[in-house]
Amino acid sequence: MFAFLLVIHAIIAATLVTVILMQRSEGGGLGMGGSPSGLMSARGAADFLSRATAVLATAFVGFSILLAVLAATRSAPTIDTSLARTPATQAPITQPAPAPVPTGAAPATQPADNSAVPLAR
């Protein structure tokens, strides 16, 4: 039932957007061409679209409140644990052994004269 009401709510929202976009604004809006008399005249269309907007807006707000109440009072579904993984046991973290220091190697020396080294630009 919740899914059905949610679909109805989405349809009302889409219809409300359509009706609002069809209304004539100061810039002209999407507007509808129609005969100069009858329901779709400038005044008849404005009255119809205004009433339709009011009705759809009321229905939208009503459905929003109804869906919020239904969602809050719904019983919480049980959690399916059939596919849950058990946490893997983690091996203790060990410190790596320090690198051996060579005993017979000569220390690295830098050249005393830095004038022969080209400078990067």
Side-chain angles (χ1 to χ4, degrees):
M1 175 162 159
F2 188 77
F4 175 73
L5 291 176
L6 199 59
V7 169
I8 297 296
H9 186 65
I11 291 171
I12 289 173
T15 308
L16 181 62
V17 168
T18 304
V19 168
I20 288 173
L21 288 177
M22 287 188 337
Q23 291 182 16
R24 181 172 295 269
S25 64
E26 291 180 24
L30 291 177
M32 291 179 21
S35 64
S37 64
L39 178 64
M40 287 301 149
S41 66
R43 184 171 175 97
D47 289 342
F48 172 73
L49 292 175
S50 297
R51 287 183 183 149
T53 301
V55 168
L56 287 170
T58 303
F60 181 81
V61 170
F63 266 89
S64 296
I65 293 171
L66 177 67
L67 287 171
V69 168
L70 287 176
T73 59
R74 249 174 126 175
S75 63
T78 58
I79 297 175
D80 182 19
T81 59
S82 64
L83 297 176
R85 292 188 227 172
T86 58
T89 58
Q90 193 174 27
I93 299 174
T94 59
Q95 295 291 334
V101 178
T103 55
T109 60
Q110 290 184 331
D113 184 18
N114 289 337
S115 62
V117 178
L119 298 176
R121 292 194 179 238

